[in-house]
Amino acid sequence: MTVMFTRQQFDEACREFIHAHQSISSAYEARLSGWSWKEHHTLPGFGYMHRIVTLNWRHPASADTFLEIDDSLDVVDDGTTASHDSPDSLTCHQYVVLSATFRVPAFYFSIHGSSGSPLQLTDIMQTSLLREDVCEGTVATTFAVSHPAMNFPLLSQGEHPTLGTPCWYFHPCETASTVEEILKESEENSRRPLSWMEAWFTVLSTAVDMQ
Amino acid sequence: MASGSPDDSGRQAALPWTPDVSESATEALQALDTYKKKDPSKVVVRFKAVGNAPIMRQNFYKITASNRFQAVIQFLRKELGWKAGDPLFTYINLAFSPAPDDTVSNLYKSFATEGHLIVNYSTTAAWGLTTLTIRRRRTQNAVQDQINGR
């Protein structure tokens, strides 16, 4: 029942997506733009999407949240203001690759300081890439970020399938069913690959600040 | 020498804690008051369940626009009886997941349709299997087995 991409379908879906989101008409549109299609330098069938984003360090949640509906609200402040000795200018390479195992898109990324050295996981958690509410309650080791309630890690370390460089990625085992949920609810009944990609980015936005 | 006489300006000036009642200070205080005043206008939010998320009896709610979206999330958790650790994801128009500190006002202005802001919510963990998911799958499999007459 769930959609699985063939290599060809993935390639087409990505190209369509890149094309559809080239122009930036609003701040919202900017979140989905800036991607380009890349191929392996010699082998066909290993293409992926790529874009570069500049990140900031995340600041702790401000305390001026006020609430009208009944309940008093506990301000979300995970207190992770640990100091970091990494530079301010952060470059994030983002990739959308086809997961060979699950036949769905997977989000890979790596973050570097201005000197070119990759960020440690604990520093990555402090950047503006990941949504604060998703990081809440997670535990980070040097190789993975997990939430105690989850049986799979949120973030794992792995090799980029085409480039072979070390990256962090979101495990795609639940991707298909979550995206299908969105598509089913969506009034637009077309199951075009583009709709699937856009729904996938919607789900991705629960964990990643697409900026 | 006169104590309690109306013209005490000389004595007043000597006191360090006399409040400054100059005009610019008054204006500044007034400006601050206006800024602090929360816009009381309310907007309508419409909740729509996605996938296996529980459906609420009532789906339309009014909320003060100046609230941050975090307030909507907390309210939804309370209405669903969902604890802090349980997965709950919210989307606007199925297009993106808003940040908790986006204001309802901004979201409404940019994305409201037909006079209300659609907030879709899902309880499916997108980023890994939770015990909830495993339990649900077991139940689904059991039901399927029954149907197949096993």
Side-chain angles (χ1 to χ4, degrees):
Chain A
M1 278 289 263
T2 53
V3 169
M4 290 202 217
F5 280 83
T6 63
R7 166 48 69 175
Q8 195 185 3
Q9 286 169 336
F10 175 73
D11 289 8
E12 281 170 16
C14 288
R15 288 182 210 272
E16 232 190 293
F17 179 86
I18 292 168
H19 183 75
H21 293 277
Q22 263 171 356
S23 63
I24 306 170
S25 51
S26 63
Y28 164 60
E29 260 299 307
R31 298 186 199 203
L32 301 177
S33 67
W35 294 92
S36 54
W37 180 253
K38 303 279 179 192
E39 294 264 356
H40 188 275
H41 55 88
T42 43
L43 300 168
F46 285 95
Y48 57 94
M49 285 180 22
H50 171 248
R51 76 172 185 177
I52 302 175
V53 160
T54 310
L55 298 178
N56 305 310
W57 294 106
R58 212 199 302 141
H59 299 289
S62 62
D64 66 344
T65 312
F66 42 81
L67 173 51
E68 200 274 334
I69 307 172
D70 298 348
D71 263 354
S72 61
L73 175 63
D74 292 328
V75 173
V76 174
D77 178 5
D78 60 359
T80 53
T81 47
S83 63
H84 43 72
D85 41 26
S86 303
D88 285 327
S89 156
L90 302 167
T91 308
C92 178
H93 288 259
Q94 301 182 343
Y95 308 96
V96 178
V97 307
L98 178 63
S99 162
T101 320
F102 295 95
R103 315 305 301 180
V104 292
F107 183 77
Y108 280 59
F109 68 91
S110 63
I111 307 180
H112 305 264
S114 53
S115 62
S117 54
L119 251 58
Q120 299 289 331
L121 187 54
T122 41
D123 281 340
I124 290 176
M125 304 290 287
Q126 309 270 3
T127 67
S128 51
L129 177 72
L130 301 173
R131 295 247 319 220
E132 208 164 348
D133 49 344
V134 139
C135 293
E136 222 179 297
T138 54
V139 174
T141 62
T142 50
F143 54 87
V145 175
S146 311
H147 193 286
M150 308 279 182
N151 293 324
F152 270 80
L154 169 68
L155 259 190
S156 317
Q157 201 172 33
E159 267 187 19
H160 188 289
T162 307
L163 299 173
T165 52
C167 288
W168 299 96
Y169 70 100
F170 290 97
H171 203 282
C173 60
E174 283 297 312
T175 298
S177 53
T178 321
V179 173
E180 284 293 311
E181 250 187 26
I182 301 276
L183 281 178
K184 217 162 128 185
E185 186 67 22
S186 174
E187 270 159 24
E188 190 191 323
N189 276 318
S190 75
R191 296 301 193 93
R192 290 169 13 243
L194 175 61
S195 313
W196 211 99
M197 289 301 293
E198 288 175 339
W200 180 81
F201 271 99
T202 299
V203 172
L204 186 65
S205 73
T206 60
V208 174
D209 186 352
M210 296 306 297
Q211 306 189 264
Chain B
M1 158 142 177
S3 58
S5 82
D7 186 13
D8 265 352
S9 51
R11 208 166 71 157
Q12 261 194 321
L15 297 171
W17 42 264
T18 308
D20 177 6
V21 291
S22 67
E23 230 175 74
S24 57
T26 313
E27 278 171 11
L29 286 169
Q30 278 172 354
L32 275 172
D33 273 345
T34 314
Y35 180 70
K36 269 193 284 184
K37 234 177 253 159
K38 292 150 195 177
D39 182 1
S41 62
K42 294 190 183 214
V43 297
V44 177
V45 160
R46 178 182 178 187
F47 290 107
K48 287 177 109 178
V50 165
N52 290 322
I55 300 172
M56 299 190 289
R57 268 166 281 142
Q58 163 73 290
N59 286 305
F60 288 83
Y61 289 93
K62 275 192 172 169
I63 177 174
T64 304
S66 50
N67 270 308
R68 294 191 193 271
F69 194 74
Q70 175 69 40
V72 176
I73 297 171
Q74 293 288 349
F75 174 76
L76 188 55
R77 278 191 183 275
K78 183 186 145 232
E79 286 298 304
L80 295 174
W82 236 240
K83 293 185 290 294
D86 300 332
L88 181 67
F89 300 100
T90 49
Y91 305 97
I92 300 291
N93 296 336
L94 287 176
F96 69 98
S97 186
D101 54 5
D102 286 341
T103 58
V104 172
S105 165
N106 284 345
L107 291 170
Y108 185 87
K109 280 182 202 151
S110 306
F111 302 107
T113 51
E114 293 168 7
H116 52 254
L117 184 67
I118 297 178
V119 175
N120 312 94
Y121 60 97
S122 160
T123 52
T124 308
W127 310 115
L129 294 167
T130 59
T131 47
L132 215 69
T133 315
I134 293 172
R135 233 183 283 140
R136 178 160 36 103
R137 291 228 177 127
R138 284 208 191 117
T139 311
Q140 282 175 348
N141 290 340
V143 169
Q144 199 57 45
D145 284 350
Q146 263 195 342
I147 293 171
N148 293 344
R150 273 182 227 155

